[in-house]
Amino acid sequence: MPALVLIGFLGGVITGISPCVLPVLPVVFLSGSGGAATASGTAGASGASGTGGNKAGGTKAARERARLERMRKLRRDRLRPYLIVAGLALSFSLITLLGTLVLSVLPLPKDIIRWAGLVVLVLLGIGMLFPRVEALLERPFARIPQLRVTGDHGGFVLGLALGAVYVPCAGPVLAAITVAGATGKIGAHTIALTLAFGLGTTLPLLFFALAGRRIAERVRAFRDRQRKVRALAGVMVVALAVALTFNVTDALQRAIPDYTNTLNTALDHAGAGLISSGQSQDLQACAEEAAATLQNCGTQPKIDGIQQWLNTPGDAALTPAQLKGKVVLVDFWAYSCINCQRAITHVEAWYQNYAADGLVVIGVHTPEYAFEHVASNVQAGVARLHITYPVALDNNYTTWNDFGNESWPAEYLVDSTGEVRHVSIGEGDYSQTESLIRQLLTAAHPTVALPAATDVRDTTPTNQNQTPETYLGAERADSFAGSSAGSLTDGTSKYSYPPSLPTSAFALTGNWNVADESITSGAGAGIELNFDADYVYLDVGGTGTVTATVDGKTTVYNVSGAPDIYTVVGGSTPQSGTLTLTLSPGLSAYSFTFG
């Protein structure tokens, strides 16, 4: 149990820093800052009221009520970031574990929870924009203060709504929780895994919520423009709901390489024996070995219990006769899984390239979330991702369980005699898989003249020496290389670069205001980073410019608004070197991540 809890916690942390959370971060950040923007003003007003004496029409009792109301508001504002994240973690955990199971016994659409969350987000966002609408939303709950949606519990309600639409990357831990919930196999170990995962994924989100509050407390522009900050948060909430409705966020996340892939792979290997779903020994051995050559992994399990087929003649099931003598690639996927979406570009290219030579691809769609049980949603995802190969809807996890599968995406390569010859879990190694496909096609048809191999860019990080995530705030700046100012501590100091910089370390120059979680640039502020990675991303917010110089090439990036991820180094192959950044005054930098 302790090892399982640790794996669940680490899986949650990895999910919380993955590209899949990027769409919700601006909302979490601004919603966390919305309350704090009023906190210092409230505190100041509270102090002033105690010295003003009686005003016209005022009474001691009225002033006391006003003072208590101000204190209550201050307490509510300071709790807001915690309430938002707690609501998100609670609803997401419960929906992941119990959503599919509960909806299966109720006469309700399977995507009702997601649509309800989107509607609530829109209503809350409009309420932030227009006080009269906020009052209307609050009116039905006026007699039940505990349920006021825009009062003390507004942040928690916002978190609950975010959790209903929050769809992160499907790592091995999340897959284990989802499968247990969907199949009703919920026990003490699954509950412990879910709680640990929820706690882990909460921490990075809480970091952003608290960062929003901290900046709002310290930056005068936030304090002086409380109404505008709240309105901007409302716009971001509505924009997120619209983006999720029309799947705009999918395209954004696919465009960003998954810099957590290596961590997820390592966690998958570490926890294979603890979160395994009962895969056969032969298949499990092939999955763990991940060999670059053909293996003998046993007879292909049945593709059974399929609710509906797509992209087949008349949407009819593929028969054993249609698969006889064919090389078959069975690809487990889910349409909202970003990892799957990136892999699908390669799978579709293989199908287009080799279908005429005897390759059959079967995309087994096993849903992660309740809304993925809806056939029309899957059909829309198939069209959006330009999938032309057959897709089998495995809503009851029958085929998933027959294969003993435990991850999205996962590929099982089957030869023309029905034997599984290779298993690939997760993203990456596409050229290796394609090489094995070609070998099996040639073995099945020795005289075949195969077309040239496909040429689809692989964005999966493969650099084993990749620089780890680098935090810039004093609390976690483990790789700070030091300077004439000494160690990195809270407060404003002037720094200078050291004579040399160790690998995967950073240094500062110029004036910086250092906080626990971020550093804010002053006059002459610069960062020097010695890195090893394909891509370098800087998490930075504020308004100004970042000038990046690497290998003699200088690029200027315009920064505006809440902290976001900016690509400051990009390349198709691993590289190492020194990156020098110059930041205009007032920008707050949080971390470097790599891909």
Side-chain angles (χ1 to χ4, degrees), residues 121-364:
L121 281 183
V122 171
L123 291 176
L124 290 176
I126 294 174
M128 294 177 186
L129 282 168
F130 304 105
R132 290 187 178 180
V133 176
E134 184 177 66
L136 288 175
L137 292 174
E138 200 173 49
R139 187 174 298 171
F141 304 94
R143 297 184 179 181
I144 315 175
Q146 296 88 340
L147 297 180
R148 291 176 63 193
V149 297
T150 54
D152 291 349
H153 297 78
F156 188 69
V157 174
L158 174 61
L160 291 175
L162 286 173
V165 300
Y166 172 53
V167 183
C169 300
V173 177
L174 184 55
I177 296 170
T178 303
V179 174
T183 57
K185 298 176 181 178
I186 302 172
H189 285 75
T190 307
I191 294 173
L193 191 67
T194 303
L195 294 176
F197 182 88
L199 176 61
T201 197
T202 293
L203 294 182
L205 295 173
L206 181 60
F207 169 85
F208 276 91
L210 291 176
R213 189 186 75 181
R214 185 75 172 268
I215 290 175
E217 290 174 342
R218 288 173 172 259
V219 178
R220 183 176 179 179
F222 276 77
R223 298 197 302 268
D224 293 346
R225 297 174 176 83
Q226 298 170 16
R227 182 62 229 163
K228 291 182 178 179
V229 171
R230 183 171 174 80
L232 179 59
V235 169
M236 293 302 299
V237 170
V238 174
L240 175 64
V242 172
L244 289 169
T245 300
F246 295 100
N247 300 289
V248 176
T249 53
D250 289 358
L252 168 67
Q253 294 168 45
R254 288 198 303 271
I256 301 172
D258 186 2
Y259 44 80
T260 61
N261 182 69
T262 302
L263 296 174
N264 255 326
T265 301
L267 184 66
D268 194 8
H269 290 314
L274 294 174
I275 58 177
S276 172
S277 58
Q279 196 169 53
S280 73
Q281 290 185 355
D282 288 338
L283 284 178
Q284 187 171 355
C286 286
E288 292 177 357
E289 186 176 349
T293 58
L294 293 172
Q295 304 161 278
N296 295 313
C297 310
T299 303
Q300 176 203 312
K302 290 183 179 180
I303 296 177
D304 200 10
I306 301 302
Q307 281 67 54
Q308 185 174 337
W309 285 82
L310 306 174
N311 290 344
T312 60
D315 287 341
L318 293 181
T319 65
Q322 291 173 293
L323 300 179
K324 186 176 181 180
K326 302 288 188 178
V327 174
V328 180
L329 181 68
V330 180
D331 179 56
F332 285 91
W333 71 295
Y335 80 80
S336 69
C337 163
I338 298 303
N339 313 72
C340 302
Q341 292 181 15
R342 284 192 286 263
I344 280 167
T345 59
H346 298 270
V347 176
E348 175 64 25
W350 298 334
Y351 180 68
Q352 292 293 333
N353 209 37
Y354 302 115
D357 299 309
L359 176 67
V360 175
V361 175
I362 301 175
V364 179

